[in-house]
Amino acid sequence: AYKRFSELLPKEERENACSARVPKSQILTLPELRANPFQHRICHVFSTSETGDDSMSFEDFLDMLSVFSDSATSDIKSHYAFRIFDFDDDGTLDRKDLEQLVNCLTGQGEESRLSSTEMEQLIQNILEESDIDKDGTINPSEFQHVVSRSPDFARCGGLQR
Amino acid sequence: RDFQQADTEHLSTWKWRRTSSKSFKKALSEVKSLSSYLVLWRHDIHSIEGKFGTGIQSYFSFLRFLVLLNFIIFILMFSVVILPTIIYKYGIFNSTIAYISPKKIGKHLLYVQLVCTIYEPSGNKGLVYFYTYLKDLLSGTGFLEVTSLLYGYYSIDAAWLSVKKYNLPLAYLLATFVYLALSFLWIIKRSVDGFKHNLVHDADPFQSYCNKVFAGWDFCITDPSAARLKHRSLQYELQTDLQEEKLKQKIAERTMGEKLRIYSLRIFINIIVIAILSGCFYSIYRVTVFSQENSNVSIRNDTRTDLVNLLVQYLPSMVITLANFIGPLIFSFLIGFEDYTPAFEIKLTLLRCVFVRLANIAVLLFSLWSQISNCGSDKCKPCGYNYKLYPCWESDVGQEMYKLMIFDFIVIIAVALFVDFPRKLLVTHCSCKLIQWFGYKEFEISDNVLEIIYGQTICWIGTFFSPLLPAIATIKYFIIFYVKKIVLINTCKPAARPVRASSSNFFFLVVLLIGLLLAFIPLGVSIAHIPSSKACGPFRNFNTSWEVIPDTVLQFPTPLPQILFGMASEAFAVPFFVI
């Protein structure tokens, strides 16, 4: 993992890679993240940079790899998945978050978006299935509950190392 | 100190065990990864999956499975039936053969022996034109009739290698049972794996939306084109689910009058479907009878020209292929009126197409048998079958199966050459509106799968009558793989509606299983019911092919036959089959 991290740094800084930070643009060149629609959110969530430029240090990099590995527990995975899906960082998944999530899934470009009626129907269904306290948003515990019963989540949330 | 020593020893053995188990595991995984390189066409199928999605990839994996299955069946038949026959016929390894005459002698049976055993396959004698060879190659007659392709070649009754006797009739029959059982078990094993996956996937319908949205993205995708495919398939899945939900709501809100109208419409359309099917079956029956009568006549008199004769011989295959082509078109047109949910529509159309294809083969065989057992004016009294026209009827059935297979192969290649490529050329270069509306071809998975299942059912039925057929099937599917791959890459556009692989795999295997079970029926009837030909084949001295087994069992040491007969009696067989 250290080798991969240092490969992302420009040549001069490779010596003290432990303390250097890799800018976001470099991280997005990783093969696992390249085709991922959530690449920006992933960088944002794992980055501990104070300047908000979403750059990652070596510890952040390790964090990211460990969460996505096969040996992470489903609690950790669902916690981080929640943070990744929470586009406006307000601690709950409301309708706007869900809408952005679905748009990320179906792809960029106009023709790959669902129509507004379909989106309404879909968000309605999702909230029906997961919103237990019926407040119109999904909080972390509801998310964890839903995801723990989902058979695909354990399989998909792992990057191959 | 002794304790310490014992402890360190214990620790070192434990450590050794751990390291050895670790290195064993590592070696095992290395062997596994190496053996994956040996898998046939691994790279081709992988690249197809990346470009066209898992649905189409499942078709090619299925094709690969059939190639392997046919190859194994051929190896089985070769080693048990063909190789010994060749060895014994040419007397290699000091082997001798015998043609045993019937055990009972009496005036009636002498007559039987004289009349029923007259069989002179023409072969090719003297100067023949080259095109005769071509004609024979295409129709399985002439020089092919005396080769190991057909049943008639295996006319050995017993063979000895030095002193050991090789019971060829028993081997022939057992090989047939073994290949049927092998195919059955292999398909079941593959479908069980797919079924488990299916079961897990469709586990909780109440959570399907959350599951798709929160866990829909596969984080292992690294290729942009694969990502595009995944986006499209997710979009399509979500849209179809939403549509189905809306449709279900609409159905639930139907009034009584509307329900009545729709049900009566459905009954009417089903009647039309049955009428079309009966029309197909009747035409196949008539054409087979016509073809059998006329091709037999011309062999004797040689009045027709050879090309017309060839066409007449191929008439059943042509009619079947036409029915297989038109049937699905009509069904997919009719189902639009029946107002089902899209998923059910697809399933029902597929079911009807499957039925058409497999039932066509059944009708062909049935009409062949009605010809063979055609005892209109006492023609088959001595031998039990129409011995004048069919002295060696198993070879004739083998020829029909051979012709079906060859014709199927020719049609697939002809369609690829003369329909798919010109279509692509037209669409790219001609900007006429009608042609643009036709558009590029889309790879229809279900049609292609039914095509190869049809070919495989023919192979299963035909192998008993023509032991070389699995080899031909292996070569045919091998070539078809490359043909389809070239057509796919060069002329098809990626599917607008991506299909999920897991459910497709299970469906293909279920239909293949139906084909196999259908193949049991004609084989069962031929082996157990229709008298085997007295003029050729390994079962000349038995009434039916099945009789080899009771005969052999009777030759076992004394207690065994009674036990085996007791086992075969009803008390045992019924619960056995139930389990």
Side-chain angles (χ1 to χ4, degrees), chain B residues 265 269 329-340 345 349 352:
Chain B
L265 188 62
I269 289 186
L329 283 178
I330 300 185
F331 294 148
S332 45
F333 174 68
L334 283 177
I335 201 141
F337 296 116
E338 292 183 73
D339 208 14
Y340 292 115
E345 258 186 29
T349 319
R352 286 178 180 158

Side-chain angles (χ1 to χ4, degrees), chain B residues 64-65 67-70 72-73 180-192 509 513:
Chain B
R64 174 175 62 189
F65 164 64
V67 167
L68 287 172
L69 181 67
N70 281 317
I72 303 256
I73 294 180
L180 286 173
L182 178 75
S183 313
F184 186 70
L185 291 172
W186 199 347
I187 295 176
I188 297 253
K189 174 179 170 292
R190 265 180 87 106
S191 56
V192 159
L509 291 167
L513 205 62

Side-chain angles (χ1 to χ4, degrees), chain B residues 522-542:
Chain B
L523 282 178
V525 170
S526 317
I527 292 178
H529 185 67
I530 300 184
S532 51
S533 3
K534 303 289 178 291
C536 63
F539 304 109
R540 285 187 313 168
N541 296 316
F542 304 98

Side-chain angles (χ1 to χ4, degrees), chain B residues 208-223:
Chain B
S208 56
Y209 287 107
C210 280
N211 187 30
K212 283 199 182 100
V213 170
F214 292 136
W217 183 258
D218 183 6
F219 281 78
C220 299
I221 293 182
T222 58
D223 182 31

